[in-house]
Amino acid sequence: QVQLVESGGGLVQPGGSLRLSCAASGNIFSIYRTGWYRQAPGKQRELVAAITNDGSTNYVDSVKGRVTISRDNAKNTVYLQMNSLKPEDTAVYYCNVKGRTYGAGTFDSWGQGTQVTVSS
């Protein structure tokens, strides 16, 4: 079983920055993809950014140039650095981790979500 713990959300003024963290623990042999998603009230969950085991990244167009996804493999932790935040970035942010467990199984785990509110 794999557990995810997210942190770093909060209230920030427009133009401010936040860094979200997603730490994975448990029966992890390898991680091949981590994604950050967000869901605003009344809207569908959308992918914000993702990083794969070869370091490839992709971003939704609305955050390109403002958001960076990175990872610390030794800590099984992925970060989402968000700069120049806008009110439309307000949402609950979730991390999703896919990988393999010891014993040749696979996992696809979600974090509990962390609220990001951008408001003056």
Side-chain angles (χ1 to χ4, degrees):
Q1 193 170 359
V2 175
Q3 298 80 37
L4 304 182
V5 177
E6 301 165 358
S7 60
L11 172 64
V12 64
Q13 292 186 340
S17 298
L18 284 174
R19 189 177 81 154
L20 307 184
S21 299
C22 174
S25 62
N27 184 9
I28 300 171
F29 175 71
S30 64
I31 292 173
Y32 51 80
R33 182 184 182 275
T34 299
W36 281 99
Y37 294 76
R38 66 186 178 187
Q39 188 166 21
K43 295 188 176 182
Q44 289 189 330
R45 188 174 295 189
E46 66 170 351
L47 176 66
V48 178
I51 185 166
T52 60
N53 60 344
D54 65 357
S56 299
T57 58
N58 65 285
Y59 300 90
V60 67
D61 286 345
S62 60
V63 305
K64 286 181 179 177
R66 302 188 294 119
V67 168
T68 302
I69 189 169
S70 62
R71 63 184 182 183
D72 183 334
N73 290 334
K75 296 181 179 180
N76 282 337
T77 299
V78 172
Y79 305 97
L80 191 70
Q81 177 67 45
M82 302 189 293
N83 302 322
S84 302
L85 283 162
K86 304 176 181 180
E88 50 264 43
D89 294 317
T90 295
V92 178
Y93 284 69
Y94 301 88
C95 70
N96 170 254
V97 180
K98 294 181 172 62
R100 293 192 177 276
T101 62
Y102 289 99
T106 61
F107 66 90
D108 182 348
S109 297
W110 288 88
Q112 79 282 2
T114 185
Q115 177 71 46
V116 171
T117 302
V118 184
S119 174
S120 56

